[in-house]
Amino acid sequence: MLTDEMKRQRKTTCAELLKHYEEEGEEFIQRIVTGDESWVHHYDPESKRQSMEYRHKSSPSPRKFKAVASARKVMLTVFWDSDGIVHIEFLKQGNTFNLERYISTLRKLSVRLKRVRPTKHAILHHDNDREHTSRQTEEALHKMNFVVIPHPSYSPNIGPSDF
């Protein structure tokens, strides 16, 4: 159940975004860089020896006696805009996703954006995870000159992505 304050905040956020769109049009949409994290399965389906074998396109695939996928979950952080993926990063196994890690990722994203989208002044859109909304993150985003689209609280139905 949303309180009246939450409803007001949601309406204000939506009105601000519509105002920007009315003023800038498609340029506003093209400047938005969306980011999110998700756990994904990582597979190594072929052994090194199998990948070195030469096979013709029409030849049958080699038979494996025991097919065991080396599946493990890894954290994927991805940022994209209307032109495609801008930055992608996998969290190495054994590491944890925390505030310092997220700020480090944002620094890498900032450098990458300057290289691949130099003419755009990016607007960042991410959800309200603790790492995304902490004071340290907000300070780091301010230092990197990121503008952040406010994400309405308690809005799981409008998450930034569902990749």
Side-chain angles (χ1 to χ4, degrees):
M1 300 291 294
L2 295 176
T3 65
D4 289 337
E5 176 60 32
M6 290 176 197
K7 290 177 185 176
R8 263 193 302 280
Q9 179 189 12
R10 183 182 277 183
K11 284 181 183 178
T12 303
T13 301
C14 292
E16 288 173 10
L17 294 174
L18 283 173
K19 182 181 174 191
H20 284 292
Y21 179 72
E22 288 171 356
E23 291 171 357
E24 298 178 43
E26 283 298 311
E27 288 180 29
F28 174 71
I29 300 295
Q30 292 173 351
R31 290 176 44 206
I32 297 173
V33 175
T34 304
D36 204 4
E37 303 86 24
S38 183
W39 287 100
V40 295
H41 287 281
H42 178 264
Y43 290 96
D44 272 335
E46 286 188 332
S47 69
K48 191 171 187 177
R49 181 179 175 129
Q50 288 170 326
S51 64
M52 292 187 322
E53 287 179 11
Y54 173 77
R55 292 187 297 258
H56 192 271
K57 286 184 181 180
S58 62
S59 65
S61 60
R63 298 180 86 183
K64 294 182 185 179
F65 290 104
K66 187 175 181 183
V68 177
S70 57
R72 61 178 193 248
K73 280 189 169 182
V74 293
M75 174 71 76
L76 167 68
T77 304
V78 62
F79 292 90
W80 67 95
D81 63 5
S82 61
D83 294 330
I85 292 176
V86 177
H87 181 69
I88 190 166
E89 197 170 294
F90 290 96
L91 182 64
K92 293 180 182 169
Q93 200 159 11
N95 294 343
T96 56
F97 186 78
N98 56 21
L99 179 63
E100 291 81 23
R101 171 72 181 183
Y102 189 64
I103 291 173
S104 169
T105 300
L106 288 173
R107 286 188 186 111
K108 292 175 189 172
L109 172 66
S110 177
V111 170
R112 176 96 174 133
L113 278 169
K114 288 174 185 169
R115 195 173 77 227
V116 298
R117 310 278 197 269
T119 58
K120 290 184 182 180
H121 183 70
I123 301 170
L124 183 64
H125 179 230
H126 54 195
D127 54 19
N128 292 329
D129 287 348
R130 284 182 298 142
E131 293 84 7
H132 301 176
T133 57
S134 73
R135 183 178 43 81
Q136 293 97 326
T137 303
E138 288 179 4
E139 288 172 2
L141 288 167
H142 180 72
K143 286 178 185 174
M144 291 181 260
N145 295 322
F146 270 112
V147 175
V148 179
I149 291 179
H151 187 78
S153 300
Y154 307 102
S155 302
N157 59 330
I158 56 169
S161 67
D162 209 2
F163 59 90

